[in-house]
Amino acid sequence: MADLPYATCPYNKEHRIWKLRMPSHIMKCSKSYKGPPLAICKYNATHRVPPSAMEDHLEECSDKQLFHSYEIGQIAL
Ligand SMILES: [Zn+2]
Ligand SMILES: [Zn+2]
């Protein structure tokens, strides 16, 4: 239940998007988005959070671990 392949669109909480479709959805949705600008997470380009909340987001980003293990994997090769 916790690992459904769906995520909530950062631009509209009403949008439940299949994770694999999120990058293209975000491209479309960001064009019609009228709210305050959102900053892009450096661990996952589909994470958009208000710039003031980015520091907290990076601390607890679900892709942080993934990002680092990928880096370590590259070094090990
Ligand atoms: Zn959307
Ligand atoms: Zn993130």
Side-chain angles (χ1 to χ4, degrees):
M1 195 64 185
D3 208 28
L4 284 172
Y6 292 90
T8 305
C9 172
Y11 293 109
N12 188 333
K13 290 186 171 62
E14 312 276 291
H15 297 167
R16 295 285 290 165
I17 310 301
W18 191 35
K19 278 183 182 171
L20 295 177
R21 292 269 165 78
M22 188 61 95
S24 57
H25 176 87
I26 279 196
M27 291 293 287
K28 268 197 291 182
C29 218
S30 65
K31 284 177 188 158
S32 50
Y33 177 70
K34 300 274 192 285
L38 299 179
I40 303 170
C41 171
K42 65 177 174 179
Y43 300 126
N44 186 328
T46 69
H47 295 167
R48 309 286 167 109
V49 293
S52 60
M54 182 53 86
E55 212 169 310
D56 286 343
H57 173 83
L58 291 179
E59 284 297 312
E60 54 197 45
C61 178
S62 54
D63 284 312
K64 188 176 172 181
Q65 211 57 43
L66 211 72
F67 185 82
H68 285 292
S69 57
Y70 177 75
E71 263 193 340
I72 291 161
Q74 291 295 298
I75 291 162
L77 288 169

